[in-house]
Amino acid sequence: MLDHLFSHNPQPPRLVDPLRPLKGVIVGTGQVGMAIAYAMVIQNTFDELVLVDINRDKLEGEVMDLQQGMPFVQPTTITAGTLAEGTGADIVIVTAGAAQRPGETRLDLVQRNVEIFKQLIPEVVRHCPEAILLMVSNPVDVLTYAAWQLSGLPHSRVLGSGTVLDTGRFRYLLAQKLAVDPRSLHAYIIGEHGDSEVPFWSEANIAGARLYTEATPAAERAALDDIFLQVKNAAYEIIRRKGYTSYAIGLAVTQIVQAILRDQNRVLTVSSLMPDHVGLGEVCLSLPSVVGRTGVNRVLNVSLNETERSQLQASAATLRQVIDQIRF
């Protein structure tokens, strides 16, 4: 058949009672956590949703605000709780983490978040042992790796939002330039969700017509390269203007969650542990992956050109350098 497309065998199916309510937990009710909650509520994603935060007043206020919108959407039971109330959850979404302090290095921030995760992740697993863990906190690739290490769960059940948002930004900007619906355009950002991310130009296409080839005029290639720079710098530009990003990641995470809950086997650039024979070392990063009820079911064996392969290896090395300095 077409087994050569995939880098490892499919995960065995998880048996789910179709009559059991779908239950989710969001840890962290900051701007990102609440954008995810709002997007999922208006898209009728869960039957039950538990929000968790150490700031009890804010948590209760956010939940009250969502609850009072229930007359306008399909019903979802929303509660302000703890991880104990999350027992039986299908998915736990982690958006909690420390904010970067003035003068603090990226590694310092990583280590402070890992210290938080040392307490948080074992508690998540204790109360929600069957859940899939979806990491959104940044730096998402490193923290996805940390969550996998700390959870003891199979790597297929610990994934990060990865470059799903970057890929969405990429498609949107390309679609704007080319005057097509973004859903009709196939293009991916792979690697780190961050400065070393890689545009997968060699397979970017509309209905099989590739966008970026050796025959593409130099001026057109420069315009496409500029679009990638806009993608890579998008978060910086949004944060400079409004202080944070929230809406797009809320929608992106909702798509990941729906792919899992509905067993869609949808190809998404989530972050997950790379299979050994991919040759990138023991890191979590993003490649097009099949996402369904088991979490990351399979990782696609994508055909990279020499430039893309070199850039992806450099991205993996950047992440591994940070991981090697973490004190677990």
Side-chain angles (χ1 to χ4, degrees):
M1 298 278 287
L2 298 175
D3 292 342
H4 66 283
L5 293 175
F6 304 108
S7 62
H8 57 85
N9 293 328
Q11 298 296 316
R14 294 179 69 196
L15 299 178
V16 180
D17 181 356
L19 299 180
R20 182 176 61 81
L22 295 172
K23 184 174 182 178
V25 176
I26 299 176
V27 181
T29 59
Q31 299 288 352
V32 170
M34 292 314 302
I36 294 169
Y38 182 69
M40 291 198 301
V41 165
I42 65 175
Q43 294 187 47
N44 192 29
T45 304
F46 286 112
D47 300 302
E48 302 177 19
L49 182 59
V50 180
L51 303 187
V52 178
D53 199 285
I54 58 173
N55 185 337
R56 189 70 192 184
D57 283 345
K58 184 178 190 303
L59 171 62
E60 291 177 351
E62 296 285 9
V63 168
M64 290 170 63
D65 202 2
L66 283 176
Q67 288 172 335
Q68 290 165 17
M70 285 302 100
F72 310 110
V73 296
Q74 296 295 316
T76 301
T77 301
I78 307 172
T79 57
T82 64
L83 288 171
E85 277 81 46
T87 299
D90 296 279
I91 302 176
V92 177
I93 302 161
V94 178
T95 72
Q100 193 162 3
R101 297 167 177 165
E104 187 175 44
T105 67
R106 183 168 178 266
L107 181 58
D108 290 335
L109 176 62
V110 169
Q111 189 60 51
R112 285 204 295 127
N113 276 321
V114 169
E115 293 303 320
I116 293 170
F117 277 27
K118 284 179 182 179
Q119 299 180 36
L120 173 62
I121 300 302
E123 283 296 294
V124 169
V125 175
R126 183 164 74 90
H127 292 292
C128 311
E130 299 301 316
I132 288 172
L133 304 191
L134 176 53
M135 313 308 298
V136 184
S137 308
N138 277 319
V140 68
D141 302 290
V142 175
L143 294 181
T144 299
Y145 181 89
W148 169 64
Q149 286 280 354
L150 295 167
S151 69
L153 295 175
H155 60 78
S156 62
R157 286 175 50 200
V158 184
L159 60 153
S161 52
T163 61
V164 173
L165 174 55
D166 310 81
T167 292
R169 289 167 171 159
F170 196 34
R171 293 181 181 183
Y172 171 75
L173 291 172
L174 287 170
Q176 289 289 104
K177 173 179 172 55
L178 300 169
V180 298
D181 187 320
R183 295 171 298 178
S184 298
L185 192 151
H186 300 280
Y188 298 97
I189 300 294
I190 58 177
E192 178 196 14
H193 171 59
D195 292 341
S196 71
E197 63 189 33
V198 179
F200 189 14
W201 281 122
S202 62
E203 294 296 331
N205 74 87
I206 300 173
R210 295 187 179 181
L211 305 182
Y212 194 111
T213 70
E214 291 182 1
T216 304
E220 188 70 11
R221 290 166 71 103
L224 293 173
D225 288 338
D226 183 65
I227 284 176
F228 168 63
L229 290 177
Q230 291 179 57
V231 171
K232 188 168 73 168
N233 295 324
Y236 297 126
E237 292 299 318
I238 294 169
I239 290 168
R240 182 174 67 83
R241 288 167 169 81
K242 61 174 275 191
Y244 54 88
T245 65
S246 56
Y247 301 130
I249 187 61
L251 292 167
V253 170
T254 300
Q255 294 284 288
I256 300 169
V257 169
Q258 290 177 353
I260 294 168
L261 294 177
R262 298 170 186 173
D263 198 23
Q264 292 175 342
N265 287 329
R266 183 172 174 183
V267 174
L268 296 166
T269 51
V270 294
S271 181
S272 66
L273 187 71
M274 289 295 99
D276 290 341
H277 58 273
V278 172
L280 296 173
E282 191 177 87
V283 296
C284 290
L285 52 72
S286 292
L287 283 173
S289 303
V290 180
V291 178
R293 204 62 180 80
T294 59
V296 177
N297 188 358
R298 292 169 286 179
V299 178
L300 284 167
N301 268 331
V302 293
S303 298
L304 304 172
N305 63 32
E306 290 184 11
T307 298
E308 291 162 347
R309 186 177 298 106
S310 175
Q311 290 174 340
L312 185 62
Q313 289 170 342
S315 187
T318 296
L319 291 168
R320 188 67 233 181
Q321 185 177 27
V322 176
I323 289 169
D324 285 342
Q325 297 179 68
I326 294 174
R327 299 183 302 277
F328 286 106

